[in-house]
Amino acid sequence: MHLLPNPPQREAIRYLDGPLLVLAGAGSGKTRVITQKIAYLIEECGFSPSNIAAITFTNKAAKEMQERVGKLLRDKPSGLTISTFHALGVRILREEARALGYKPRFSIFDANDSFAIVSDLAGSVDKATIRRLQSVISGWKNALVTPAQALKGVSNETEKLAAQAYASYSATLKAYQAVDFDDLIALPVELFENHPEILGKWQNRLRYLLVDEYQDTNACQYKLLRLLAGPRAAFTAVGDDDQAIYGWRGADVENLRGLPRDYPNLKLIKLEQNYRSTVRILKAANALIAHNEKLFDKKLWSELGHGDPISVTVCKDNEKEAESVVMKLQAHRFEHRGEYRDYAVLYRGNFQARALEQFLRDQRIPYALSGGQSFFDKAEIKDITAYLRLLANSDDDPAFIRAVTTPRRGVGGTTLEALGSYAGERHLSLFAAAFEEGFAHRVQARQLAPLLEFCEFINRLEYRAAREAVEPVMNDLLAAIGYEVWLNDEDDKRIALARWDNVQELIKWLARKGEEDGKSLIELTQTIALINLLDKQEDGSRPDAVQLSTLHAAKGLEFRHVFLIGVEEGVLPHRESQAPDKIEEERRLMYVGITRAQRSLHLSYCERRKQGRELIPCEPSRFIAEMGKEDLRFSGGKADSTPDKAGGAARLSAMKAMLAANKVG
């Protein structure tokens, strides 16, 4: 990385005369601008760290920023906010909960917790339907559409069902003293709009805002930033309209267009020098993205040399494509004496990874699958750890709700709503509220009995968990709740068996850990929570393995050598993205894929693709032609199969010779 900021970077770091938009192309050093600006504000301009907030989208980006700022500043800044949007939302809500009618220790529900509630409300067990309803409700929340507005504007049956569930869902969450992921942004907006004195307090506290990946903000996030910035408008927004690829989850690139309108004195600074890729890769990326309607004109350039031509391989079908990629990768690594971690294979959809994984395993090549599910994120593990969380902390409301409903223990939704409402009024946890005399008068005896039975069961278990060996306590817990029987009722035999095996693995691990560390089950629960957190905080170190990733998950990453597969019509661009605005987003997705590559880029597409038992004919993606042919080198397919075979044979002979020479040496 370059040592000194280049002139546009330097200008962006020092500019403080009003709102600023930094249009930062891929690999142009945007994180550097944000972190150095934080250091400049504190060291040169006398800002207190507690008056600065840098906001980003992922924990990984926030962590990287914190580390970089720590290195830049001699004195560790205390009070500096570097967080995700959602973490900032939690902080605001914890402090101001009472103004919205919540207790400060409100619960945060994850997608699984919400799924169970929506399923109950919709009266449906079809998982795909419930996920669709969840997605529609989430879209409304992010667009700041209220349940009443949603009901008025429905245009189809799914929306009608979602709108009916939305109002009840919001009421249920409130009764449980819980919020979901979307509420972490929507509720602070509601709070600030209805309580100007609270808004004023936060505007005075966060006097300078720096926002990363601005093109990925949705309507709700944009509103939150506008409210926090207030009339002072002391902020730096960093973004790139060419990398806006999250429209499907509510991100709106129009927020970039809206900035000059909302802030007429907005200063625009472009970062166009790329420190990542070779000239050829950038030339192809620029040519491709030029086919999109532009918000702001920008052209990436580099001083890293011309670089290798971009290879385009035409393959007979997707199995041959996977084989070709693995062989090419092996040969390239051997030739360049590289490491496996230097290589990434990127694709549009997860289904494309299957054939690849098989060939990589056959060749004993280590690989890491991006976005793979953590063991502790599996539903069955979360079910059992909910019981453990409740044993360790009876005030953990999400754990209480998950445990009492998985498997169901005769406690219905009406009882839980009444309990939630009572707990909210008394500022108690659900568990504590269940034992109160006042609550007993609100429900019928037949409703109260199974609830108290459950709570007493937890109390007995808690006593044992602090004193006895792990394994017998866990086995008794599973037997008492009938978890294995419930799994078999819920899923088909094969899936139920796999899930039960995971639960057994958890128990063995807990028992082993308990013995090794001399810890009780209660103490081990803290260990699980920590492991779970650490799982989610990807550290920057990459194992020596080929990275397999979707294009969406690869954003923000870079690799020396990139293989981009399945560059076909119907795959990239996706067959459901043929409308002009959606094609533009698909083109941006391709652009993101191209600009992940530092030194070499290899594209491939199939003449036919296997779908089930059928072979479907394929067309090369329009994006290949849009990259310009000058720097592309084609091989394979009908057109030039002979030279490709000859080239392949020559490469193979060269490899054999090198291997033989190595053996002799």
Side-chain angles (χ1 to χ4, degrees), residues 593-612:
I594 295 170
T595 53
R596 297 313 91 199
Q598 295 172 310
R599 295 292 170 267
S600 75
L601 177 64
H602 311 265
L603 311 181
S604 57
Y605 67 88
C606 301
E607 292 176 323
R608 296 178 300 174
R609 182 168 287 280
K610 216 178 239 176
Q611 284 185 3

Side-chain angles (χ1 to χ4, degrees), residues 68 112 235 320 581:
R68 289 210 204 174
N112 289 321
F235 67 80
K320 288 286 183 216
D581 61 324

Side-chain angles (χ1 to χ4, degrees), residues 105 376 385 387-396 462 465 509-510 513 517 519-535:
R105 288 186 65 185
F376 287 98
T385 52
Y387 280 88
L388 300 185
R389 280 164 47 199
L390 196 55
L391 294 180
N393 172 18
S394 60
D395 288 342
D396 188 334
E462 184 192 344
W509 179 82
L510 284 167
K513 203 86 179 131
D517 301 352
K519 285 185 174 176
S520 70
L521 192 54
I522 298 281
E523 289 166 323
L524 283 172
T525 304
Q526 306 301 322
T527 309
I528 292 173
L530 194 62
I531 288 174
N532 212 4
L533 283 170
L534 292 173
D535 255 3

Side-chain angles (χ1 to χ4, degrees), residues 136 140 153-162:
V136 173
W140 281 328
V154 295
S155 58
N156 56 48
E157 273 307 303
T158 303
E159 283 189 4
K160 189 179 171 185
L161 192 58

Side-chain angles (χ1 to χ4, degrees), residues 25 60 105 137 160 180 237 343 355 370-371 381 404 465 487 493 498 574 593:
K60 187 169 173 261
R105 288 186 65 185
I137 293 170
K160 189 179 171 185
D180 66 15
Y343 295 84
S370 183
I381 302 302
V404 80
L487 279 179
K493 201 171 172 183
H574 196 273

Side-chain angles (χ1 to χ4, degrees), residues 541-559:
S541 63
R542 226 186 264 155
D544 190 22
V546 175
Q547 190 71 40
L548 306 188
S549 172
T550 62
L551 287 161
H552 284 102
K555 186 165 170 281
L557 304 176
E558 54 186 42
F559 306 90

